[in-house]
Amino acid sequence: LGCDSMEGVPNFVAAPEGYEESIRTFLAARNLEFQKVKLTEAGSLPEDQQTLAAGRACIVRGTSPRGDFGHVVVGQISADG
């Protein structure tokens, strides 16, 4: 993402404009985009989102194994969504 260290990555949650807008701004400066998609119960993309390209990097959010808050990991869209 063009950052030499974690110091170059903002704390999106603490941003006054909110985490979603902060992420959008950060990524837009790197010619990337933010798109929030709710997965199906099976953990796959809904039919109306199947146009997202296989192999595309993504951030997947779920509940944290360490407490009552969210947890995110980097993922990759599979060929079958």
Side-chain angles (χ1 to χ4, degrees):
L1 297 174
C3 299
D4 293 334
S5 67
M6 287 301 294
E7 283 79 36
V9 179
N11 181 343
F12 301 114
V13 175
E17 68 271 24
Y19 80 93
E20 286 187 40
E21 187 57 35
S22 180
I23 291 170
R24 279 190 182 88
T25 301
F26 178 79
L27 293 176
R30 290 153 179 80
N31 201 30
L32 298 168
E33 66 177 288
F34 173 77
Q35 183 177 1
K36 192 172 184 177
V37 176
K38 183 173 173 74
L39 300 178
T40 67
E41 289 292 321
S44 60
L45 290 169
E47 280 192 39
D48 65 341
Q49 297 292 327
Q50 292 292 326
T51 58
L52 295 173
R56 186 174 182 180
C58 61
I59 298 173
V60 182
R61 183 201 180 275
T63 56
S64 175
R66 292 181 284 282
D68 189 25
F69 45 86
H71 182 79
V72 297
V73 295
V74 175
Q76 188 174 42
I77 296 175
S78 66
D80 61 356

